[in-house]
Amino acid sequence: MKATIKDVAKLAGVSFKTVSRVINNEGTVGQELQERVWKAVKQLNYRPNLSARGLRGAASSIGFIYDNPNSNYVIDMQRGILDECRAQGYELVIHPCDATNRTIIQEVLEMIDRSRVGGLVLTPPISENPDILAAIAERNVKFVRVLSGAKAPDDLSPCVYIDDRNAAYAITEHLIGLGHKDIAFLGGDEEHQSSGERLAGYKAALEDHKIKYSAKRVIPGSYSFESGVERTRQLLNTKGSNPTAIFACNDEIAAGTLFAARIAGVDVPAELSIAGFEDSPFSRQAWPNLTTAAQPTSTIAQRAASLLIKSLRNGKKVESEGFYPELIIRESSTKARH
Amino acid sequence: MKATIKDVAKLAGVSFKTVSRVINNEGTVGQELQERVWKAVKQLNYRPNLSARGLRGAASSIGFIYDNPNSNYVIDMQRGILDECRAQGYELVIHPCDATNRTIIQEVLEMIDRSRVGGLVLTPPISENPDILAAIAERNVKFVRVLSGAKAPDDLSPCVYIDDRNAAYAITEHLIGLGHKDIAFLGGDEEHQSSGERLAGYKAALEDHKIKYSAKRVIPGSYSFESGVERTRQLLNTKGSNPTAIFACNDEIAAGTLFAARIAGVDVPAELSIAGFEDSPFSRQAWPNLTTAAQPTSTIAQRAASLLIKSLRNGKKVESEGFYPELIIRESSTKARH
């Protein structure tokens, strides 16, 4: 016969309210009593029926749809969303996709049907695609967008906006402050607004410091290590005209820049300063450590999930929130040689 | 009024079978015809009802439960499972947890109830915990285990086993072949069988090559960068008795070893050879590149998901599968100085 909470209480010699407090980790029960309860739980092989808490019927999971090749970003996003799910009693369905796929809208709708999620957290470029957003809204599924910008673009749904432009301005200004006048910019994928925002910050800082902008020094590409290697190789191959600093649009690109500089025998930072964007584990673990902008991805994700769950629960309008990445100065950037 | 597949066919001037082929990506329709169909789909704002394909009722998602702090491992596992989910029409629920938590069994059962998954993919140490497995089996939920070993340990459920011992043997033998006689071993978390298996491989290689095993050279710890830094710092602080090679139980630890060696001014690989285990992105991107064992995590995960979906679909016994990590020799290991 299956053990009940009363059996556990009897064996442990405590009230069943105490057993419940211990099992639910309420932290109001002394250590010795906790031990007694857990011993009884184990001895009786007791399994509380947590699913009877009343979630049946209502959606008890949310979804995270993304198109991003950057593992660190994805794992940090997941971590933040999962933290909030755990705190609020939700499960998480993850769905990576190719936002350029022509069946993307059907795919998102099918994901909603299969997984029965109550709502979605969306990141760029999905969160910046009006067709996908319209299709989800039409299905009456709530969503929260993470996006690049200095404010919420509209009232369609709550969002968490990240001020990439000002952070990129701060990085560029830091390099200028070190005496760099020839700073190359390695962009990210164009369908991500962050790439354009960061470029805008770079340009604004050059302008404010009266440094001539050169279109040749802005090299488009994608947010990947390989793209960083490739573009840095090109830059360093042009004899006698190396930039003294490279601002890579994220840390993955910067890792590629560091790698290509090593291969080319260019000393970082003595001959070439490098800055990334993201504060990834690589930026902290590489030698030299990378100057970067700390984008608190997990916290951003946790806030997005929190806004989503709030709007699922009370149905009222939920306010958007903003984040401002912070300049982190490390060893990869130093004074320009003259 | 909502557009139907017939409306699309009419506007595109093709049969509705052709529209269906294009939308389902069957690849048997010429480029020009495809363009016409997509144009009509867009113009009519047509949305095929993929969810009507008959999945209603049956579980259309699986779960992945894990307790692992290694982001690369987690993301690679997810990638492999997601590839199989996409191919088979399933969604994925992810659930990280702390396997040492005393409410872990209730947590897993609650996750099953909330998410309504049809089955689970489990990785170490969850997949190696008999109490958790028994509780899941009791709920009549199918599961596939990924675990460390040279064969399937039992008939409880299909598993994907990874022969860590032989791979660790190959790494150690490679270092011995380079003339190293003093090789330190930095272990992983003890609750992971992989840590014990890799240590056993290290010991066996030393023994077969008549190199005396020294318990002092085996330093326990966890599968993390910080643990690698800390233990390497200890090793290199003991004056005059540095090992000439370090075998780190995974690439995260090896990254820490490389970092600590740099701080201590020890030249890698001239004065210290380093080998890791995993073939992580860091192992390929670091300078010098890390010698390691390639554990095809994504493929392992994809196979585990495939076995799970197979057993969900036909209910028959599904055979286990084995993987054998491969030695990858890179720049971080070289001949011992004498």
Side-chain angles (χ1 to χ4, degrees):
Chain A
M1 209 182 68
K2 246 184 152 172
T4 68
I5 193 166
K6 286 188 182 167
D7 299 328
V8 175
K10 200 173 163 192
L11 183 63
V14 299
S15 73
F16 80 89
K17 198 72 201 144
T18 300
V19 175
S20 163
R21 281 200 200 98
V22 170
I23 285 170
N24 291 309
N25 259 323
E26 291 180 18
T28 50
V29 182
Q31 194 58 38
E32 192 257 349
L33 227 52
Q34 283 194 33
E35 291 300 330
R36 250 161 65 198
V37 170
W38 284 115
K39 210 173 140 189
V41 164
K42 198 165 178 190
Q43 201 171 322
L44 295 169
N45 197 24
Y46 171 66
R47 302 275 152 70
N49 189 2
L50 301 179
S51 59
R53 277 181 188 165
L55 284 168
R56 226 176 284 277
S60 42
S61 55
I62 62 173
F64 170 37
I65 299 184
Y66 58 96
D67 172 9
N68 194 310
N70 181 343
S71 301
N72 293 313
Y73 179 79
V74 170
I75 206 94
D76 282 350
M77 279 297 302
Q78 288 181 4
R79 188 175 296 131
I81 300 174
L82 285 163
D83 281 351
E84 190 66 16
C85 281
R86 171 173 289 270
Q88 304 269 6
Y90 278 74
E91 296 299 325
L92 176 64
V93 179
I94 58 169
H95 190 97
C97 62
D98 175 356
T100 64
N101 199 321
R102 286 204 275 197
T103 47
I104 181 68
I105 289 176
Q106 291 90 303
E107 182 180 335
V108 167
L109 298 180
E110 186 169 24
M111 179 271 182
I112 291 169
D113 290 346
R114 277 184 188 151
S115 63
R116 306 170 206 179
V117 290
L120 296 168
V121 172
L122 307 172
T123 49
I126 308 285
S127 58
E128 295 162 349
N129 181 320
D131 293 341
I132 300 177
L133 301 179
I136 298 172
E138 205 179 285
R139 269 291 165 100
N140 225 355
V141 169
K142 306 251 182 186
F143 59 92
V144 167
R145 294 163 288 168
V146 173
L147 40 79
S148 183
K151 60 182 177 59
D154 55 48
D155 266 349
L156 190 60
S157 79
C159 64
V160 175
Y161 51 91
I162 301 154
D163 191 350
D164 287 289
R165 186 187 300 218
N166 273 317
Y169 185 99
I171 287 178
T172 311
E173 192 166 52
H174 159 69
L175 294 171
I176 294 170
L178 290 168
H180 295 281
K181 294 195 171 77
D182 186 358
I183 305 167
F185 180 87
L186 305 186
D189 302 75
E190 273 172 26
E191 66 266 35
H192 287 250
Q193 278 184 28
S194 59
S195 184
E197 291 286 316
R198 291 172 197 178
L199 177 59
Y202 161 83
K203 281 183 179 172
L206 292 185
E207 196 181 332
D208 288 355
H209 290 275
K210 312 214 165 11
I211 294 177
K212 201 169 173 274
Y213 165 77
S214 158
K216 261 197 252 166
R217 285 309 197 205
V218 174
I219 307 176
S222 72
Y223 278 127
S224 73
F225 176 78
E226 291 71 21
S227 177
V229 171
E230 179 53 39
R231 287 181 281 167
T232 304
R233 196 171 280 167
Q234 280 171 31
L235 270 173
L236 301 181
N237 262 348
T238 322
K239 254 196 175 168
S241 69
N242 286 358
T244 65
I246 293 179
F247 174 11
C249 216
N250 76 348
D251 288 344
E252 287 268 311
I253 301 174
T257 295
L258 187 59
F259 190 90
R262 284 266 162 69
I263 297 271
V266 172
D267 189 342
V268 175
E271 296 174 275
L272 180 70
S273 284
I274 298 175
F277 200 111
E278 189 185 333
D279 193 30
S280 70
F282 183 92
S283 77
R284 294 186 291 269
Q285 296 176 8
W287 189 266
N289 300 154
L290 293 180
T291 290
T292 191
Q295 183 178 292
T297 307
S298 284
T299 309
I300 289 166
Q302 182 266 321
R303 293 310 306 152
S306 168
L307 298 184
L308 178 61
I309 293 172
K310 209 184 274 180
S311 62
L312 285 174
R313 287 214 168 124
N314 67 19
K316 272 187 243 159
K317 190 169 178 267
V318 171
E319 293 298 325
S320 295
E321 291 183 18
F323 276 86
Y324 306 88
E326 189 192 346
L327 174 64
I328 308 272
I329 300 171
R330 297 207 187 95
E331 323 257 349
S332 69
S333 56
T334 193
K335 281 188 179 162
R337 276 187 184 171
H338 285 291
Chain B
M1 207 183 68
K2 247 182 151 173
T4 68
I5 193 165
K6 286 189 182 166
D7 299 329
V8 175
K10 200 173 163 191
L11 183 64
V14 300
S15 73
F16 80 89
K17 198 71 201 144
T18 301
V19 175
S20 164
R21 281 200 201 98
V22 171
I23 285 169
N24 292 308
N25 259 324
E26 289 179 19
T28 51
V29 182
Q31 194 60 36
E32 192 258 348
L33 227 51
Q34 282 193 35
E35 291 300 331
R36 249 161 65 202
V37 170
W38 283 116
K39 209 174 142 192
V41 163
K42 202 168 174 185
Q43 203 172 321
L44 295 169
N45 198 23
Y46 171 65
R47 301 275 152 71
N49 189 3
L50 302 179
S51 60
R53 276 180 188 166
L55 283 167
R56 227 176 284 277
S60 42
S61 56
I62 62 172
F64 170 38
I65 300 183
Y66 57 95
D67 172 10
N68 195 310
N70 182 342
S71 301
N72 293 313
Y73 179 79
V74 169
I75 206 94
D76 283 350
M77 279 295 304
Q78 289 181 5
R79 189 176 295 131
I81 300 173
L82 285 164
D83 281 351
E84 189 67 16
C85 281
R86 170 173 289 270
Q88 304 269 4
Y90 278 74
E91 296 298 326
L92 176 63
V93 178
I94 57 169
H95 191 96
C97 62
D98 175 356
T100 63
N101 198 321
R102 286 204 275 198
T103 46
I104 181 67
I105 289 177
Q106 290 92 301
E107 182 180 334
V108 167
L109 299 180
E110 186 168 23
M111 179 271 183
I112 292 169
D113 290 346
R114 276 184 190 149
S115 62
R116 307 172 207 179
V117 290
L120 296 168
V121 172
L122 307 171
T123 48
I126 308 286
S127 59
E128 294 163 350
N129 180 321
D131 293 341
I132 300 177
L133 302 179
I136 298 172
E138 204 179 286
R139 270 290 166 99
N140 227 353
V141 169
K142 307 251 183 187
F143 60 92
V144 168
R145 293 163 288 167
V146 173
L147 41 79
S148 183
K151 60 182 178 59
D154 55 49
D155 267 349
L156 190 60
S157 79
C159 63
V160 175
Y161 52 90
I162 301 152
D163 192 350
D164 287 290
R165 189 188 301 219
N166 273 317
Y169 185 99
I171 286 177
T172 312
E173 193 165 51
H174 158 69
L175 294 171
I176 294 169
L178 290 168
H180 294 282
K181 293 196 171 76
D182 187 358
I183 305 168
F185 180 87
L186 305 186
D189 302 75
E190 274 171 27
E191 65 268 33
H192 287 250
Q193 278 184 30
S194 59
S195 183
E197 290 287 315
R198 291 171 197 178
L199 177 59
Y202 161 83
K203 281 184 179 173
L206 292 186
E207 197 181 330
D208 288 355
H209 290 274
K210 310 215 166 11
I211 293 177
K212 202 167 172 279
Y213 165 76
S214 157
K216 262 197 251 164
R217 285 309 197 204
V218 174
I219 306 176
S222 72
Y223 277 128
S224 73
F225 176 78
E226 291 72 21
S227 177
V229 171
E230 178 54 37
R231 287 181 281 168
T232 304
R233 197 170 280 169
Q234 279 171 33
L235 270 172
L236 300 182
N237 261 347
T238 323
K239 255 197 175 166
S241 67
N242 286 359
T244 64
I246 293 180
F247 174 11
C249 216
N250 76 348
D251 288 344
E252 286 268 312
I253 301 174
T257 295
L258 186 59
F259 189 89
R262 284 265 163 71
I263 296 271
V266 172
D267 189 342
V268 176
E271 296 175 276
L272 179 70
S273 285
I274 299 176
F277 200 110
E278 190 185 330
D279 194 30
S280 69
F282 184 91
S283 77
R284 295 186 289 269
Q285 296 177 6
W287 188 267
N289 300 154
L290 293 179
T291 291
T292 191
Q295 184 181 290
T297 307
S298 283
T299 311
I300 288 166
Q302 181 267 320
R303 293 310 306 151
S306 168
L307 298 184
L308 178 61
I309 293 172
K310 208 184 275 180
S311 64
L312 285 174
R313 286 211 169 126
N314 67 19
K316 270 187 243 160
K317 193 173 177 266
V318 171
E319 293 298 325
S320 294
E321 293 184 15
F323 276 86
Y324 306 88
E326 189 192 346
L327 174 64
I328 309 273
I329 299 172
R330 298 207 188 95
E331 322 258 349
S332 69
S333 56
T334 193
K335 281 190 181 162
R337 277 187 185 172
H338 285 291

